[in-house]
Amino acid sequence: MATSATVRHLTTAELEAGLDHIRQAPRDLGVLAMIVRRPAVDEREVLTNAELDPAQGLVGDNWRVRGSTRTADGSAHPDMQLNIMNARAIALLAQDEARWPLAGDQLYIDLDLSAENLPPGTQLQIGSAIIEVTSQPHTGCQKFMARFGADALKFVNSAVGRELHLRGINAKVVQGGVIETGDTVRKL
């Protein structure tokens, strides 16, 4: 895997030059490009298939035990089971597919994740599972900045970045099932 020492962080101008390609992502039928399970903090496992469960989220992921600062008791936030990122956005930011998992998301999808295309409540079918986009914001953090650069953090949190959900979206599992890399992602 490439390390931050061997990868140059892109400038704002270089990132903005990739916007047209990101905007061309399919709107209704996309593809699941990568599945990443996070068994522990800062650990990543790239999977070819996985199980999604309404109670556990991505089975084997640490979402449930990690908890959330967005709940009163620190327990896992039910509307943040899944973190999803646009495959075109992470390809631009990471510059190398081996670095995609560093973003910390579980699902990387070639689909328009914009607020206009996927408002909260929108359901997506992936394999035999159905997930639902939630209203919980997904924003970049200090780890994201360290891995992809300050310009990348500003880029994903800019007005255009928030509109297109370049940092990604949160979702929850509404129907459990099996998903596999290469599955069609269908907007319901």
Side-chain angles (χ1 to χ4, degrees):
M1 180 183 281
T3 64
S4 58
T6 62
V7 176
R8 181 182 65 80
H9 294 154
L10 298 180
T11 65
T12 299
E14 290 169 322
L15 293 165
E16 288 174 349
L19 278 173
D20 285 343
H21 181 63
I22 294 168
R23 286 186 169 118
Q24 292 169 8
R27 293 183 56 83
D28 298 317
L29 286 176
V31 175
L32 178 58
M34 184 180 281
I35 305 165
V36 179
R37 179 169 46 206
R38 307 162 307 185
V41 174
D42 292 330
E43 287 185 21
R44 307 285 188 271
E45 298 173 344
V46 177
L47 307 172
T48 55
N49 58 61
E51 183 181 350
L52 297 182
D53 178 84
Q56 298 177 52
L58 179 72
V59 175
D61 187 77
N62 72 354
W63 160 77
R64 192 170 197 77
V65 297
R66 188 177 65 243
S68 174
T69 59
R70 296 186 192 175
T71 57
D73 64 359
S75 63
H77 198 296
D79 288 345
M80 297 173 72
Q81 278 184 331
L82 299 173
N83 307 131
I84 303 169
M85 193 164 181
N86 176 290
R88 295 172 189 227
I90 190 59
L92 173 66
L93 293 164
Q95 306 167 60
D96 180 344
E97 191 171 334
R99 293 183 40 139
W100 290 20
L102 293 175
D105 298 83
Q106 297 130 309
L107 305 180
Y108 297 87
I109 298 175
D110 188 18
L111 186 72
D112 176 359
L113 302 184
S114 70
E116 175 191 352
N117 193 49
L118 297 181
T122 302
Q123 293 190 343
L124 301 171
Q125 181 173 7
I126 309 171
S128 59
I130 297 176
I131 64 173
E132 183 174 298
V133 176
T134 66
S135 62
Q136 284 298 311
H138 187 31
T139 57
C141 61
Q142 291 302 314
K143 285 182 180 181
F144 185 86
M145 183 174 74
R147 293 168 181 159
F148 302 108
D151 284 355
L153 183 62
K154 290 176 193 168
F155 177 66
V156 300
N157 287 323
S158 68
V160 169
R162 287 191 311 274
E163 172 194 330
L164 297 176
H165 287 153
L166 295 182
R167 179 55 196 98
I169 58 175
N170 282 298
K172 62 184 177 183
V173 180
V174 294
Q175 176 184 302
V178 175
I179 61 171
E180 188 172 333
T181 301
D183 276 349
T184 297
V185 179
R186 180 184 320 276
K187 187 166 82 168
L188 301 177

